[in-house]
Amino acid sequence: MSVKINENYLLLKSNYIFAEIGQRVDNYSNENPQANIIRMGIGDVTRPLPQAVVQAFKRAVLEMGDAEKFHGYGPEQGYDFLIQDIIDKDYAPKGINLGEHEIFISDGAKCDTGNIQEIFALNNTVAVTDPVYPVYVDSNVMAGRTGAMSDDGQYKNMVYLPCIEENGFIPELPEEDVDLIYLCYPNNPTGTTLSKEQLKEWVDYARDHKSIILFDAAYESYIMEDHIPRSIYEIEGAREVAIEFRSFSKNASFTGTRCAFTIVPEELNGYDSQGQAIDLNHLWTRRQTTKFNGVSYPVQIAAQAVYSKEGQEEINKSIKYYMKNARIILENIKKICLRAYGGINSPYIWIKTPEGMDSWQFFDTLLHKAHIVGTPGVGFGPSGEGYFRLTAFNTLKNTEEAMERLSKLTL
Ligand code: MLT
């Protein structure tokens, strides 16, 4: 006998997109050590943790070294102090009432959006917008919910909802019945948003079809326009059909510190094979208490400081800073006569590649001729072919330098 592997992993593309880019950039940089590379690929922040967060973090670390104040295992779902601030400061002001047990603190929206599929049966039909954050697709491939990838770049048994220039990057409702629907707004990678009316169509679809929407709102704090919904629970009926994912990564620079949360309302039900309704909040609680031991106490104290007056002022400054970069990128891309989207309520700018150049060719051109790294759109799914993503997360200086280099490029 020998150990058998989970063969679903063999269905995956060999590398995760950002690992693939990292590899290519490392190779280029080893061969061209003099190249001053500006990274606008992976959506990693460059601003440090807010001072209010750092001070709280330090105090909590000191407590951990004091026998009187030390914390061992915390509650798997998170400490009440953080959960209560999320309820009072993120949701209540928008008229959304959440119960403490509906919020699950975690170490990242990537982990949660990847893990959530575990509580659903393998024979559910999954729909994703295309292009899409690869974690939603890959986690379902790993679980065995799809077939192999076809020549068109789509996995069998997965429903792709194209979001392209022709439909204004707005996904159409699926023609077939789907069970699980991943939506990410503001969208990664296209940087586009849905209005309340557009999001309501999805909530209504999910109510009619007894589907569940997995709503990734990791970029919510980049919404600048008042009419764009910040939470899916602003839509009537969403508590019956939607799980929402939020993160402290992109608003408060927690990409390396790790803290996020997921909301599973108590009204949410899935169904067993007998057609009996089962409480999804209970299933997620069961999953988390078994497989997760919670986020460390100092990190949760640090996350709580995001909600302090000083914390809020600092994160607002950072968001403004990145959104200024986004404006600069948008303006300059248009100056070189390329079409660009997003960047208004999102830190991502989605660029149509020049005529006759595919996503990877554009990636190579920018890397080799301007030493700029972005993300090839096709890495996010087949409908991303012919597009390219830049992030506004670099420093202002690097963003300006990158745009200066771009303006001198003959494409
Ligand atoms: C991205 O670049 O799409 C993000 O950094 C991915 C992530 O947050 O995991």
Side-chain angles (χ1 to χ4, degrees):
M1 288 294 279
S2 52
V3 171
K4 312 289 182 300
I5 58 147
N6 175 353
E7 290 199 17
N8 298 321
Y9 276 63
L10 304 180
L11 302 177
L12 296 167
K13 283 199 210 159
S14 54
N15 278 335
Y16 184 59
I17 177 70
F18 296 111
E20 168 80 30
I21 292 170
Q23 185 88 65
R24 288 190 187 215
V25 175
D26 284 351
N27 292 345
Y28 182 80
S29 172
N30 290 338
E31 285 160 23
N32 302 276
Q34 79 298 342
N36 169 18
I37 294 176
I38 300 180
R39 289 164 201 266
M40 302 169 86
I42 191 162
D44 197 3
V45 291
T46 50
R47 307 267 296 165
L49 288 172
Q51 273 312 304
V53 167
V54 173
Q55 294 313 323
F57 208 175
K58 274 189 187 165
R59 280 195 303 274
V61 170
L62 291 177
E63 282 182 44
M64 295 297 276
D66 176 340
E68 301 293 312
K69 296 181 180 161
F70 167 76
H71 286 74
Y73 291 127
E76 290 92 346
Q77 265 188 250
Y79 284 103
D80 288 350
F81 59 77
L82 180 55
I83 291 177
Q84 205 53 55
D85 269 8
I86 290 170
I87 292 175
D88 296 343
K89 299 188 176 163
D90 258 340
Y91 287 91
K94 291 182 210 113
I96 299 165
N97 297 314
L98 297 176
E100 281 184 22
H101 60 286
E102 295 179 314
I103 298 181
F104 297 79
I105 308 294
S106 78
D107 58 349
K110 179 180 185 173
C111 320
D112 285 355
T113 54
N115 291 331
I116 195 77
Q117 47 76 30
E118 281 184 27
I119 63 169
F120 298 101
L122 289 184
N123 59 0
N124 282 303
T125 305
V126 177
V128 290
T129 55
D130 173 26
V132 70
Y133 181 42
V135 171
Y136 316 150
V137 174
D138 288 2
S139 55
N140 279 288
V141 174
M142 289 169 172
R145 216 167 265 113
T146 70
M149 187 184 272
S150 316
D151 291 343
D152 61 6
Q154 298 189 355
Y155 282 100
K156 293 210 179 68
N157 309 333
M158 181 160 272
V159 174
Y160 288 74
L161 308 166
C163 297
I164 47 180
E165 271 186 327
E166 289 76 2
N167 61 12
F169 303 97
I170 307 299
E172 280 174 27
L173 294 174
E175 282 161 14
E176 56 278 84
D177 283 355
V178 300
D179 305 306
L180 291 172
I181 305 160
Y182 288 85
L183 295 178
C184 172
Y185 288 98
N187 187 254
N188 180 12
T190 65
T192 54
T193 48
L194 290 186
S195 67
K196 280 194 180 144
E197 295 68 31
Q198 286 162 337
L199 192 51
K200 181 163 188 316
E201 288 182 25
W202 286 95
V203 170
D204 291 347
Y205 174 96
R207 290 170 91 184
D208 290 348
H209 292 76
K210 292 200 166 132
S211 327
I212 295 288
I213 297 174
L214 303 167
F215 190 77
D216 186 348
Y219 300 93
E220 161 275 332
S221 45
Y222 290 87
I223 297 175
M224 300 288 129
E225 296 178 313
D226 287 343
H227 64 282
I228 305 295
R230 288 169 169 266
S231 163
I232 194 165
Y233 304 120
E234 289 178 43
I235 312 298
E236 193 199 331
R239 283 183 57 93
E240 293 159 33
V241 292
I243 293 176
E244 179 162 295
F245 305 89
R246 289 273 187 106
S247 170
F248 294 102
S249 283
K250 314 286 160 130
N251 63 349
S253 302
F254 272 61
T255 50
T257 305
R258 313 303 306 152
C259 196
F261 58 93
T262 290
I263 295 165
V264 188
E266 61 182 13
E267 288 91 329
L268 278 186
N269 284 323
Y271 296 85
D272 69 11
S273 49
Q274 313 302 312
Q276 177 116 13
I278 306 286
D279 174 5
L280 293 181
N281 180 291
H282 171 70
L283 293 191
W284 187 242
T285 305
R286 189 69 182 81
R287 192 267 173 208
Q288 289 298 80
T289 48
T290 302
K291 294 197 177 181
F292 186 56
N293 256 338
V295 174
S296 77
Y297 171 74
V299 169
Q300 291 192 62
I301 287 282
Q304 187 192 26
V306 171
Y307 293 103
S308 65
K309 188 168 162 289
E310 301 74 27
Q312 287 293 299
E313 282 167 7
E314 286 180 80
I315 70 166
N316 288 337
K317 251 195 229 155
S318 287
I319 288 164
K320 273 205 189 117
Y321 177 93
Y322 293 133
M323 291 314 283
K324 179 174 175 187
N325 289 345
R327 253 198 332 275
I328 293 172
I329 298 170
L330 267 182
E331 281 164 15
N332 281 277
I333 294 297
K334 287 182 181 163
K335 267 195 210 147
I336 59 167
C337 296
L338 292 180
R339 298 192 293 281
Y341 304 90
I344 306 283
N345 294 298
S346 152
Y348 293 130
I349 292 90
W350 190 241
I351 301 164
K352 183 82 187 97
T353 56
E355 198 64 34
M357 226 187 247
D358 69 22
S359 297
W360 278 110
Q361 284 166 337
F362 194 55
F363 172 89
D364 285 335
T365 304
L366 289 200
L367 177 60
H368 296 185
K369 294 197 185 160
H371 301 156
I372 297 169
V373 180
T375 310
V378 71
F380 296 102
S383 296
E385 182 55 280
Y387 294 90
F388 192 78
R389 194 192 75 177
L390 288 180
T391 87
F393 283 128
N394 214 310
T395 59
L396 174 61
K397 186 167 167 285
N398 280 347
T399 305
E400 285 175 336
E401 164 73 24
M403 293 304 111
E404 176 71 23
R405 291 183 197 174
L406 259 191
S407 68
K408 294 192 184 129
L409 208 63
T410 28
L411 291 166

